[in-house]
Amino acid sequence: RIIIMAFTTINKPEQYFNTLLYTGNASTNAITGVGFAPAFSWFKSRSNVNSQIMFDVLRGTNGISPSGNAINYDSASDGFTSLDSDGFTFNGSGGGGGVNASGFTYVGWNWKGGTTSGVSGGTITPLDYSYDATAKISVVRYTGNSTSGATVPHGLGVKPAAMWVKKVTGGVDSWAIYNQAMTATSYLEMDVANGIASNAGRWNNTEPTTSLFSLGDSSTTNGNNNNYIAYIFGEVPGFSKFNRFEGNGNVNGAFIYTGFAPAVVIIKSEGSSENWHMYDNKRSTFNVRDKTLDPDQTAAEATLSGIDFLSNGFKMRTSATWGNSTSYNITYQAFAERPLVSTNGKAATAV
């Protein structure tokens, strides 16, 4: 008798994360097909130089840019209207700019939330939040108190594996990025190519728990009376993976097992001066995946051979230091297109 192991409770990852491609029109533009109501969406023009922009259900039309350190992106003059039940809506304000300029091609990466009650604990009470307990995706908005050891509830029920935190009032400041592969003193910055750094002020040198994440007294994550947005992810077998790997400096590069066929992979060398890179299954539909956008850059989509997406992970196809260095670890964040084996016993096919 053959026994098929079940690796995940998420048989259809596209119900929790999905990438959507669209074309702007500098007018009313209702885009559907995401498959769920996004808790937050990340937009980038593929065809033109424009800032990358994130919007979430907690901040409405106030955007923030992964490629910048400003507290707000002026969406009111740039075409964003709303996140909707199956997508998002734009208008023609300011010609559409970063999200809806006429004839520009765009990508939108989307994550699901939904639950807005039942979270408690911590020394800082969130202003509001939206989380999905199945896919372990949480969006939290809170006000800092500049107190080392402050804690904020996240609602996931598991220890966060990755956290993206950005100050949204009180002056410019870089992003703070946490990955479970790093120590709780370490951090990366999404808006710049800086390497991994160490400062207890971000996370108070304290690992997050199944209910709370900790803050130091840095203005980046916990300035007094400043507001922050935190995008927080727990690791779900067969759906999401957050870790680091060692490169081999060869075009026949490192293989990274994730337990699923990836839908998107975000990579950052922990060495200095190396850009972030983002590959997905919609802009590149076959191997080698070679269409990249860099979260810390405003540049249009580039062709840069880098990754094979496989049924059980991804394989680097470059000797470049940004993605396969022998000198520095490479941090990655990945979300699934298909689990390797689902609870209904169906295995993912090679891609």
Side-chain angles (χ1 to χ4, degrees), residues 282-296:
K282 299 295 178 66
R283 294 178 298 118
S284 293
T285 57
F286 55 86
N287 292 329
V288 175
R289 313 289 168 145
D290 63 356
K291 303 298 182 186
T292 183
L293 287 165
D294 300 351
D296 57 321

Side-chain angles (χ1 to χ4, degrees), residues 21-29 31 44-50 90-92 94-107 300:
L21 308 181
Y22 67 95
T23 300
N25 65 5
S27 184
T28 300
N29 197 4
I31 307 295
K44 176 66 179 79
S45 170
R46 302 174 62 197
S47 56
N48 294 77
V49 176
N50 277 105
F90 307 118
N91 58 55
V99 293
N100 191 37
S102 180
F104 287 17
T105 58
Y106 293 90
V107 59

Side-chain angles (χ1 to χ4, degrees), residues 7-89:
F7 285 83
T8 180
T9 58
I10 299 179
N11 295 327
K12 296 181 178 180
E14 70 275 10
Q15 294 179 344
Y16 302 91
F17 170 83
N18 202 5
T19 302
L20 201 63
L21 308 181
Y22 67 95
T23 300
N25 65 5
S27 184
T28 300
N29 197 4
I31 307 295
T32 60
V34 170
F36 53 83
F40 77 99
S41 296
W42 177 349
F43 301 101
K44 176 66 179 79
S45 170
R46 302 174 62 197
S47 56
N48 294 77
V49 176
N50 277 105
S51 293
Q52 310 207 23
I53 317 170
M54 289 177 175
F55 295 98
D56 58 70
V57 294
L58 307 185
R59 302 185 64 240
T61 57
N62 291 312
I64 46 174
S65 177
S67 55
N69 61 5
I71 58 174
N72 271 316
Y73 189 89
D74 187 10
S75 59
S77 62
D78 207 23
F80 178 80
T81 300
S82 62
L83 296 175
D84 306 325
S85 61
D86 187 34
F88 30 84
T89 299

Side-chain angles (χ1 to χ4, degrees), residues 16 36-40 57 111-116 130-133 137-139:
Y16 302 91
F36 53 83
F40 77 99
V57 294
W111 287 263
K112 186 178 184 295
T115 302
T116 58
S130 177
Y131 68 93
D132 185 275
I137 300 165
S138 183
V139 182

Side-chain angles (χ1 to χ4, degrees), residues 222-274:
N222 191 26
N224 192 42
N225 292 325
N226 295 330
N227 288 346
Y228 296 83
I229 195 76
Y231 304 122
I232 303 176
F233 309 91
E235 194 170 87
V236 179
F239 174 72
S240 55
K241 189 74 174 176
F242 311 90
N243 214 313
R244 58 158 52 125
F245 64 90
E246 297 180 2
N248 63 14
N250 194 296
V251 291
N252 184 19
F255 166 72
I256 297 88
Y257 177 83
T258 60
F260 53 80
V264 66
V265 177
I266 307 170
I267 284 176
K268 173 66 174 81
S269 168
E270 294 178 10
S272 62
S273 303
E274 298 291 349

